[in-house]
């Protein structure tokens, strides 16, 4: 006799979308809840958009959101965040926001129905850089600005598309100027994910194209 799949009573509204939810440092996020109730609390794919740390927002990359949207049918929630950007804010402000978003998900799990202990992060381009920073920085670091300090910012997995990991390596012409502007006097080594890698980091999947 075939096993009967248990009925899951979710702690969230199936298929709900919540826009412009405040989380940290004056920033907001969007929550796309699962379309199928597979888990009581929804594990999260945290999306960090690209745009050279300067342009775009949490909803302006529909092609990237479309890549991870099918996971909502598998019981996952997608959370897309805004973060502080140039020219008003420089490094490490967007890193601090990305880390704080993970802490927020943990701190608010009881009310959102999201599983703050099961968060994976996906980032594209500059968002790939931020996602990688989240993946290699533990909870005790100088970038943990903002609320929810009692929570961990560690994630279960990291996926990046066209991310930047080593600012000292060869980049496209002109990128050295852009990165110097982003760093605003801080050292390259402070901002590059490769500076912080350790054996206990989250597992990574790094995706690149020939023109990245």
């Amino acid at each position: 006799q075939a096993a009967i799949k248990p009925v899951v009573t979710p702690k969230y509204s199936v298929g709900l979308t919540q826009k412009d939810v405040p989380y940290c440092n004056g920033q907001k996020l969007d929550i796309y809840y699962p379309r199928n109730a597979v888990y009581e609390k929804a594990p999260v794919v945290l999306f960090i958009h690209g745009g050279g740390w300067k342009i775009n927002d949490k909803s302006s990359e529909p092609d990237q959101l479309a890549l991870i949207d099918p996971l909502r049918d598998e019981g996952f929630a997608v959370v897309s965040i805004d973060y502080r950007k140039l020219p008003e804010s420089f490094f490490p402000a967007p890193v601090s926001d990305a880390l704080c978003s993970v802490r927020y998900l943990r701190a608010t799990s009881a009310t959102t129905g999201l599983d703050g202990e099961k968060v994976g992060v996906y980032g594209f381009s500059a968002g790939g850089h931020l996602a990688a920073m989240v993946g290699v920085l533990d909870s005790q670091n100088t970038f943990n600005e903002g609320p929810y300090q009692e929570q961990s910012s560690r994630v279960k997995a990291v996926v990046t598309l066209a991310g930047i990991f080593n600012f000292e390596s060869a980049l496209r012409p002109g990128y050295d100027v852009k990165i110097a502007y982003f760093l605003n006097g801080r050292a390259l080594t402070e901002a590059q994910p490769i500076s912080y890698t350790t054996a206990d980091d989250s597992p990574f999947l790094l995706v690149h194209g020939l023109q990245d």
Side-chain angles (χ1 to χ4, degrees):
Q1 184 177 358
I4 299 175
K5 186 176 181 179
V7 176
V8 173
T9 302
K11 295 185 178 294
Y12 52 85
S13 297
V14 174
L16 177 69
T17 296
Q18 287 187 316
K19 294 278 191 175
D20 298 324
V21 179
Y23 74 95
C24 297
N25 307 324
Q27 302 306 300
K28 296 179 180 180
L29 54 79
D30 296 339
I31 304 173
Y32 303 88
Y33 281 95
R35 284 185 288 264
N36 288 317
V38 179
Y39 308 98
E40 188 177 72
K41 284 189 174 183
V44 177
V45 178
L46 180 67
F47 173 62
I48 308 179
H49 69 80
W53 309 285
K54 184 177 181 180
I55 61 172
N56 295 334
D57 60 37
K58 55 186 168 52
S59 59
S60 61
E61 291 183 340
D63 56 334
Q64 297 301 317
L65 287 168
L67 288 176
I68 51 181
D69 182 76
L71 289 170
R72 297 175 64 201
D73 295 324
E74 306 298 326
F76 290 81
V78 172
V79 173
S80 183
I81 67 168
D82 276 332
Y83 51 86
R84 286 171 288 175
K85 301 179 183 69
L86 300 168
E88 290 81 13
S89 298
F90 301 88
F91 174 83
V95 176
S96 297
D97 292 342
L99 291 166
C100 195
S101 71
V102 179
R103 301 198 308 273
Y104 166 86
L105 293 174
R106 280 197 165 89
T108 60
S109 178
T111 56
T112 62
L114 303 175
D115 192 339
E117 300 302 319
K118 295 180 180 177
V119 179
V121 60
Y122 167 60
F124 169 65
S125 190
H129 162 257
L130 299 176
M133 289 292 279
V134 171
V136 297
L137 292 171
D138 59 29
S139 292
Q140 304 302 318
N141 64 75
T142 59
F143 307 131
N144 264 332
E145 172 196 359
Y148 314 114
Q149 291 294 327
E150 73 282 2
Q151 302 292 335
S152 170
S153 57
R154 286 187 65 88
V155 293
K156 293 293 186 182
V158 180
V159 178
T160 67
L161 179 59
I164 305 173
F165 314 107
N166 184 350
F167 289 145
E168 298 171 294
S169 65
L171 298 170
R172 286 179 179 176
Y175 263 60
D176 54 342
V177 176
K178 293 180 181 180
I179 289 172
Y181 178 49
F182 173 60
L183 294 180
N184 194 33
R186 304 287 286 260
L188 287 173
T189 53
E190 284 189 86
Q192 57 186 22
I194 200 171
S195 297
Y196 303 98
T197 54
T198 55
D200 64 345
D201 287 339
S202 308
F204 273 68
L205 173 64
L206 312 180
V207 182
H208 271 277
L210 293 177
Q211 296 183 29
D212 289 347

